[in-house]
């Protein structure tokens, strides 16, 4: 199953039903985006306090909010440019906040490897997002790459849940995110360069 097929199934069986429920509650897409950001803050606190499994569950839940706000906006015909901007900013902030929680965790329980991997994961994630935004500013569609935000959220969430009992899966997840986000950044740079030449 490719990414497009998985996206269609997710949209039909999860996003749209939940968006309908949220619309019945009278929530706006921007409120849903803001709630996801608040949830990310709570998850970061859990990580900093050492509750890795709980932080992992909250991370996965906050990732779902990112699906629901867009689905709600489309369902209620409330798609706006500001909403898209707020969603993008909230995504970046929530990802950075979760990694800050992990950074505090590794500072309080000294791990040089953990600190370096968190830093590399943050830099890689920011570069992936920046390259897409910069390319789209130049009129290039740039959503290529093996480690986009959904993959990062799922990888880190699983690593956190398993890492609560054995730290190796968390370090492996961070290493995977760090390596593949740098690879994705290179893929997006090459894709953008080729598109500009055309």
């Amino acid at each position: 199953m490719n990414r497009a097929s998985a996206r269609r199934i997710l949209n039909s069986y999860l996003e749209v039903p939940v968006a309908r429920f949220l619309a019945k509650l009278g929530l706006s897409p921007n409120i849903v985006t803001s709630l996801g950001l608040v949830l990310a803050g709570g998850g970061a606190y859990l990580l900093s306090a050492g509750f890795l499994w709980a932080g992992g569950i909250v991370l996965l839940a906050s990732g779902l909010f990112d699906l629901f706000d867009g689905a709600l906006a489309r369902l209620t015909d409330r798609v706006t440019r500001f909403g898209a901007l707020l969603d993008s900013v909230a995504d970046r902030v929530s990802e950075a906040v979760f990694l800050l929680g992990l950074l505090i965790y590794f500072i309080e329980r000294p791990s040089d490897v953990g600190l370096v991997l968190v830093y590399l994961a943050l830099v890689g994630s920011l570069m992936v997002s920046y390259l897409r935004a910069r390319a789209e500013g130049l009129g290039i569609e740039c959503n290529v790459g093996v480690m986009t935000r959904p993959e990062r959220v799922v990888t880190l969430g699983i690593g956190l849940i398993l890492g609560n009992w054995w730290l190796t899966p968390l370090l492996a997840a961070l290493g995977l995110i760090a390596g593949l986000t740098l690879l994705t950044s290179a893929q997006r740079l090459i894709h953008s360069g080729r598109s500009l030449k055309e």
Side-chain angles (χ1 to χ4, degrees):
M1 179 186 297
N2 60 30
R3 189 179 291 177
S5 299
R7 191 76 180 85
R8 281 194 298 271
I9 292 170
L10 194 62
N11 182 66
S12 299
Y13 294 100
L14 181 63
E15 290 180 45
V16 172
V18 173
R20 287 189 182 126
F21 174 72
L22 294 173
K24 288 179 181 177
L25 292 177
L27 296 177
S28 71
N30 290 348
I31 291 294
V32 174
T33 300
S34 301
L35 288 173
L37 194 53
V38 170
L39 195 61
Y45 172 76
L46 289 171
L47 295 182
S48 69
F51 300 106
L52 298 183
W53 66 272
I57 291 169
V58 172
L59 171 62
L60 295 174
S62 71
L64 290 175
F65 272 78
D66 186 39
L67 298 176
F68 300 149
D69 57 4
L72 179 61
R74 291 186 295 273
L75 181 70
T76 57
D77 198 25
R78 298 170 77 174
V79 176
T80 65
R81 287 188 294 178
F82 175 74
L85 177 63
L86 179 63
D87 182 49
S88 294
V89 170
D91 287 350
R92 303 294 81 76
V93 171
S94 63
E95 196 164 6
V97 164
F98 269 108
L99 289 173
L100 174 61
L102 262 183
L103 194 67
I104 293 170
Y105 172 83
F106 284 123
I107 288 172
E108 293 184 349
R109 300 156 186 81
S111 169
D112 291 341
V113 173
L115 290 171
V116 170
L117 289 176
V118 169
Y119 172 77
L120 291 175
L122 177 60
V123 171
S125 298
L126 291 175
M127 285 306 300
V128 168
S129 301
Y130 175 76
L131 279 161
R132 178 175 178 175
R134 192 70 185 94
E136 289 179 350
L138 296 170
I140 301 165
E141 187 176 341
C142 190
N143 51 11
V144 300
V146 295
M147 185 59 79
T148 61
R149 186 168 188 273
E151 289 86 3
R152 295 196 300 269
V153 169
V154 171
T155 302
L156 184 56
I158 293 171
L160 286 167
I161 292 168
L162 296 177
N164 191 72
W165 297 278
W166 183 40
L167 203 56
T168 302
L170 174 55
L171 295 177
L174 286 168
L176 193 63
I177 292 169
L180 293 183
T181 50
L182 294 175
L183 174 61
T184 300
S185 298
Q187 289 175 311
R188 291 188 171 184
L189 185 60
I190 292 167
H191 168 77
S192 300
R194 287 175 178 167
S195 298
L196 288 170
K197 287 179 182 177
E198 295 172 2

